[in-house]
Amino acid sequence: MEKSRRGQQLALSLLFGLLLPSCVTQTTPSNAATTAAATPSRTPSPQTERLKVRLTGYPRKHNEGRVELFYKGEWGTICDDDFSITNANVLCRQLGFVSATGWTHSAKYGKGQGKIWLDNVLCNGGERSIENCKSRGWGNSDCTHDEDAGVVCKDERIPGFLDSNVIDSQVDENKVEEVRLRPVVATAKKKVPTTEGVVEVKYKDGWAQICDLGWTIKNTRVVCGMLGFPHERKVNKNFYKLYLERQKSYFHLHSVACTGTEVHLAACPLEFNKPNATFPCAGGMAAVVSCMPGLLFTQNNNLKKKLKRSSNVRLKGGARVGEGRVEVLKDNEWGSVCDDRWNLLSASVVCRELGFGSAKEALTGARMGQGIGPIYMNEVKCLGQEKSIWNCPFKNISSDDCKHMEDAGVRCNIPYMGLENSIRLTGGRTRHEGRVEVLSPDSNGTQSWGLICGESWSTREATVACRQLGLGYANQGLQETWYWDSSNVTDMLLSGVKCSGTEMALSQCQHHKTVSCQKAAAKFAAGVICSETASDLVLNAPVVQQSVYIEDRPLHMLYCAAEEDCLSQSAAKANWPYGHRRLLRFSSQIHNIGRADFKPKAGRHSWVWHACHGHYHSMNIFTHYDLLNSNGTKVAEGHKASFCLEDTDCQESVSKRYECANFGDQGITVGCWDLYRHDIDCQWIDITDVKPGNYILQVVINPNQEVAESDFTNNAMKCNCKYDGHRIWLHNCHIGDAFSEEAERRFDKYPGELNNQIS
């Protein structure tokens, strides 16, 4: 850096600021021919949508790198002149990190290419984007790429941060943006997804072909991957040759030379046809490929039987198909992957292993929520050809190396199914909400739009609708939509819709064969409110196991508990106030590991006041407590109303937002937890009538799924329970989906359960 030049610039800037104060607030146009002494000005907003920022270069970790900005369709760098930690803080927050720990100069992460978009950037620290800071204007710089600036961000994500701007892909999509397969066989044209056909690239206002001279199976692998298919297969070229000889082709690409690990055709070495070429593909024809879909997208039942579902890798917490936090199975327990060195090559191996295509994004910083189990892998270094992430080099880690705020995730390419074309939302205030209208063929074979009966419509069905629309998670499933603008669609087309919550489309859910809806008016049609983020509650299983004990509590101390229905039915026949009830007590520590705060569905105006305990209930049932026998039958049960949802404590650097005192707001912040201590009323199961034996203790949070979460499969916790009539022991406490299927089967076959007696 040239310190003398900076001094001259600063002196001239001050002089101009004194003589021409009105000029200081002028906006410097990006194409202005200003001199080196131009006064820094506020950078004009380059576009209406959020400015894209990425960290790149080498060597680096995911939270550091050369800063690059996407402006006017081109990536460019920032010069290090006048760069500061304040600038770095703005950039890191824009990327979804809490703050910056440092910045670098002189192209520490390597020299960039193309434009140097910003120079002499001066932030005050409160800006939401680097584009709001003062600078010399877009593209106005006298620097070289030897002066490219970089940042080092604190390796901690902003809780609830929506979508990171961190992009690791080095794809230049200006060359080849869109790729498709054009089916030519009549039967293939009707099938979804399209798995075989002529490879075409978007060119100007139409589509062009690729010459197949030198085409290899590696090229096919890349095309299939980016279209959402995990595997490629051979194609009958002779058949297509006869067809293509009768068709006119326009060859935009002359040759492609992929290695097979690229995530996009544009990342492969490409040779474009010259406009004046006489014979652009002499001796060849248009490239044709055939892809093999994964299990989820396979229509052929015979092929489904041959395809195996991965048993030791899974995705959790994602709103859309093919995205989520990466979890791997080791020693019958699921754990996560640390995001150090996590990149598209490793992410693509995971995606293909799970039956999707190559990776669209390699996500860092727990952008798909935090895991709760062990962290098994760090610095995964796949080459891209491995069949499983377990075949890739990686480091075993200790708890000091990584935290769950560094959990890795993926977004995979999936085949185009066209599911969003048969559903729409109307009447809502934004595109994320509205009355659900579905498209269905009528008796004449024509397509018509219709409503869904709101009766029995719940969060599960809303989750599927939001997924089908590509709008994220379901915030609410609404049974009445009278407060939204009506449309000309008034007929009920579906009723009795019942989903498990995992389906890709409402058409895959159960429903009545003929419409049966008691409230058939349009104002009682089903509606949804979708959201890009959601909460995710999990119970701290070790806390339950460590805090359990038995108490014989006198009846005269249980009047309020009886009023709130916290005792078993036999308590009503007891000789009040004499005698006691035997209570199985434990503490519940409930964490929000999602990406949005957990808040009661009902507003405070509808909370119920309980005078006996002197508090409000924001949710009638927040948790279920059950004691089960070997057959899964309840032998004792309890429940907990949410009289106080608040932040008892939080992770470091996360602030509490919710407090119950003085009729305050209730909820659980992302990165915080709510503790229901063992010594408060109703934090128990009444086991007065339970005989000695071996049981399973089960605790379910948000059992009715009243409040939306990104993952309901981790809401249940189970423990093996042994009761000898005087003492009680819990062991093997775990979240419902933390073990392998084999381990879960062994857990359910707890020895000694068959006769319900101590063995």
Side-chain angles (χ1 to χ4, degrees):
M1 297 187 295
E2 303 175 29
K3 294 183 179 178
S4 60
R5 186 185 68 190
R6 287 182 178 174
Q8 293 171 1
Q9 290 175 348
L10 181 59
L12 287 170
S13 297
L14 290 171
L15 181 62
F16 271 74
L18 291 170
L19 296 177
L20 301 171
S22 61
C23 297
V24 176
T25 57
Q26 293 288 319
T27 298
T28 306
S30 60
N31 59 350
T34 52
T35 64
T39 303
S41 60
R42 195 163 301 281
T43 306
S45 178
Q47 51 201 32
T48 55
E49 61 184 20
R50 187 173 58 177
L51 178 70
K52 291 183 179 178
V53 185
R54 71 180 179 188
L55 299 180
T56 187
Y58 189 81
R60 69 183 187 90
K61 294 182 69 174
H62 69 278
N63 57 316
E64 63 181 329
R66 182 176 66 248
V67 178
E68 294 191 354
L69 312 175
F70 192 70
Y71 176 63
K72 286 190 174 180
E74 186 177 352
W75 287 102
T77 60
I78 300 177
C79 181
D80 61 12
D81 287 350
D82 294 332
F83 207 85
S84 67
I85 190 67
T86 306
N87 297 353
N89 271 319
V90 172
L91 283 162
C92 287
R93 287 197 301 271
Q94 194 170 353
L95 288 162
F97 298 98
V98 293
S99 63
T101 59
W103 64 276
T104 64
H105 57 81
S106 306
K108 177 185 174 182
Y109 298 102
K111 294 188 289 186
Q113 296 179 342
K115 299 283 188 180
I116 298 176
W117 279 128
L118 295 179
D119 191 6
N120 298 110
V121 180
L122 296 171
C123 301
N124 61 34
E127 296 87 349
R128 295 175 65 89
S129 171
I130 197 72
E131 63 192 324
N132 301 131
C133 301
K134 292 180 180 179
S135 76
R136 299 178 60 173
W138 288 97
N140 183 22
S141 172
D142 58 357
C143 299
T144 68
H145 282 296
D146 291 310
E147 301 169 79
D148 284 344
V151 296
V152 181
C153 301
K154 186 176 181 181
D155 195 4
E156 182 178 344
R157 303 294 291 171
I158 296 173
F161 189 80
L162 186 58
D163 262 329
S164 170
N165 277 324
V166 179
I167 302 172
D168 285 326
S169 172
Q170 298 300 310
V171 171
D172 180 4
E173 291 193 349
N174 292 325
K175 294 179 181 177
V176 175
E177 292 184 347
E178 292 184 55
V179 179
R180 75 174 185 183
L181 289 185
R182 177 169 59 86
V184 297
V185 183
T187 54
K189 290 180 181 179
K190 298 179 181 179
K191 290 183 179 179
V192 177
T194 300
T195 59
E196 183 175 303
V198 179
V199 184
E200 295 188 330
V201 296
K202 193 72 180 292
Y203 181 67
K204 295 184 178 178
D205 294 328
W207 294 87
Q209 292 75 47
I210 303 174
C211 181
D212 74 342
L213 292 175
W215 187 268
T216 68
I217 197 71
K218 294 178 180 178
N219 298 344
T220 301
R221 177 177 171 82
V222 173
V223 171
C224 290
M226 64 183 292
L227 293 176
F229 303 109
H231 307 294
E232 65 285 351
R233 52 190 173 192
K234 290 184 179 181
V235 67
N236 185 348
K237 286 186 65 174
N238 292 330
F239 166 81
Y240 282 94
K241 189 172 184 179
L242 292 171
Y243 169 81
L244 293 170
E245 283 176 349
R246 302 192 297 269
Q247 303 291 319
K248 185 177 180 180
S249 297
Y250 176 81
F251 295 102
H252 183 48
L253 284 171
H254 179 69
S255 69
V256 180
C258 301
T259 63
T261 61
E262 296 88 349
V263 297
H264 197 287
L265 202 63
C268 303
L270 305 174
E271 185 178 331
F272 290 82
N273 272 330
K274 297 178 181 178
N276 58 353
T278 309
F279 300 105
C281 190
M285 67 179 205
V288 179
V289 304
S290 181
C291 307
M292 185 179 293
L295 184 63
L296 198 59
F297 305 96
T298 300
Q299 309 296 330
N300 187 319
N301 289 328
N302 291 328
L303 187 58
K304 274 188 176 182
K305 295 176 182 178
K306 296 179 182 178
L307 295 174
K308 290 184 178 180
R309 181 171 61 91
S310 175
S311 59
N312 57 9
V313 180
R314 70 181 183 184
L315 300 181
K316 298 288 289 183
R320 300 167 181 85
V321 177
E323 70 174 29
R325 179 177 63 254
V326 178
E327 293 191 350
V328 293
L329 186 67
K330 180 181 178 183
D331 298 331
N332 287 315
E333 186 175 4
W334 290 99
S336 53
V337 176
C338 188
D339 62 11
D340 288 349
R341 307 295 180 191
W342 185 247
N343 61 20
L344 285 168
L345 286 176
S346 300
S348 290
V349 170
V350 169
C351 288
R352 289 183 186 269
E353 182 178 1
L354 292 171
F356 306 113
S358 51
K360 193 178 341 184
E361 286 185 78
L363 304 173
T364 59
R367 280 181 50 203
M368 287 296 163
Q370 298 183 24
I372 51 172
I375 303 174
Y376 288 132
M377 295 180 173
N378 188 22
E379 296 193 22
V380 181
K381 297 177 182 177
C382 299
L383 299 177
Q385 298 287 4
E386 297 88 349
K387 291 186 177 181
S388 171
I389 188 175
W390 286 105
N391 301 135
C392 303
F394 65 89
K395 288 185 178 179
N396 292 309
I397 63 170
S398 66
S399 58
D400 297 328
D401 294 328
C402 282
K403 306 297 182 186
H404 279 297
M405 61 182 64
E406 301 172 75
D407 284 346
V410 295
R411 279 200 179 106
C412 306
N413 288 312
I414 64 170
Y416 176 71
M417 303 293 289
L419 298 173
E420 71 280 6
N421 297 328
S422 59
I423 183 175
R424 71 179 182 186
L425 300 182
T426 61
R429 297 158 296 182
T430 70
R431 72 183 190 93
H432 282 81
E433 67 178 29
R435 191 178 296 105
V436 181
E437 296 181 358
V438 292
L439 184 66
S440 180
D442 57 23
S443 57
N444 298 324
T446 57
Q447 301 277 6
S448 60
W449 293 92
L451 303 174
I452 299 177
C453 181
E455 295 168 13
S456 76
W457 182 263
S458 71
T459 305
R460 288 187 183 91
E461 290 71 44
T463 296
V464 177
C466 291
R467 180 181 297 126
Q468 184 175 353
L469 287 160
L471 295 178
Y473 307 95
N475 190 299
Q476 286 188 50
L478 305 167
Q479 296 186 354
E480 297 181 8
T481 51
W482 51 267
Y483 37 79
W484 281 332
D485 294 338
S486 59
S487 70
N488 58 353
V489 178
T490 57
D491 294 334
M492 289 291 176
L493 198 64
L494 288 176
S495 65
V497 178
K498 188 176 183 181
C499 306
S500 67
T502 60
E503 297 87 350
M504 289 193 291
L506 289 174
S507 59
Q508 299 171 353
C509 302
Q510 298 177 1
H511 61 84
H512 293 156
K513 289 185 178 180
T514 57
V515 176
S516 174
C517 188
Q518 292 182 356
K519 298 178 180 179
K523 64 181 180 180
F524 297 114
V528 297
I529 300 177
C530 306
S531 173
E532 289 293 334
T533 58
S535 61
D536 188 14
L537 298 188
V538 293
L539 189 66
N540 189 324
V543 169
V544 175
Q545 186 166 320
Q546 294 161 11
S547 61
V548 67
Y549 64 96
I550 288 177
E551 179 193 12
D552 289 336
R553 193 164 183 81
L555 283 174
H556 69 82
M557 301 176 69
L558 291 172
Y559 279 104
C560 284
E563 183 183 301
E564 293 193 10
D565 198 26
C566 295
L567 302 175
S568 61
Q569 293 180 356
S570 64
K573 302 175 183 177
N575 186 23
W576 291 77
Y578 308 105
H580 67 271
R581 304 299 293 180
R582 175 156 290 186
L583 307 176
L584 169 61
R585 308 197 71 148
F586 52 87
S587 296
S588 295
Q589 190 181 90
I590 299 166
H591 293 243
N592 183 358
I593 62 172
R595 294 193 292 149
D597 294 354
F598 183 94
K599 292 186 285 188
K601 183 178 179 180
R604 66 169 69 196
H605 62 279
S606 59
W607 294 353
V608 179
W609 173 256
H610 281 255
C612 195
H613 277 132
H615 56 236
Y616 285 92
H617 285 178
S618 56
M619 291 176 66
N620 188 35
I621 296 181
F622 179 52
T623 49
H624 273 168
Y625 306 142
D626 299 313
L627 201 62
L628 312 175
N629 64 14
S630 59
N631 299 322
T633 304
K634 293 181 185 178
V635 295
E637 63 181 1
H639 74 273
K640 187 68 181 174
S642 64
F643 72 86
C644 176
L645 279 175
E646 67 176 1
D647 297 326
T648 306
D649 209 347
C650 302
Q651 295 175 356
E652 186 180 352
S653 77
V654 178
S655 300
K656 298 179 182 179
R657 295 182 186 174
Y658 301 101
E659 188 175 6
C660 297
N662 301 318
F663 198 39
D665 287 336
Q666 293 197 21
I668 306 176
T669 304
V670 175
C672 300
W673 55 89
D674 187 10
L675 177 65
Y676 283 84
R677 284 175 51 90
H678 56 81
D679 54 1
I680 63 175
D681 263 10
C682 298
Q683 186 60 34
W684 62 56
I685 299 178
D686 184 350
I687 61 169
T688 305
D689 307 318
V690 175
K691 298 177 180 178
N694 295 324
Y695 301 94
I696 291 177
L697 170 67
Q698 178 176 278
V699 179
V700 183
I701 311 168
N702 191 17
N704 299 333
Q705 300 184 8
E706 285 184 33
V707 180
E709 296 187 48
S710 59
D711 186 5
F712 288 110
T713 62
N714 58 13
N715 282 34
M717 186 223 67
K718 294 180 179 180
C719 302
N720 285 131
C721 176
K722 185 172 184 177
Y723 174 49
D724 68 357
H726 305 285
R727 295 166 297 175
I728 201 155
W729 296 267
L730 296 183
H731 60 282
N732 284 339
C733 291
H734 66 283
I735 300 302
D737 65 345
F739 288 177
S740 68
E741 292 180 3
E742 179 186 348
E744 198 63 38
R745 283 194 295 269
R746 288 202 303 267
F747 175 89
D748 290 334
K749 293 179 180 177
Y750 184 63
E753 278 191 330
L754 295 179
N755 58 10
N756 212 29
Q757 299 294 320
I758 297 294
S759 57

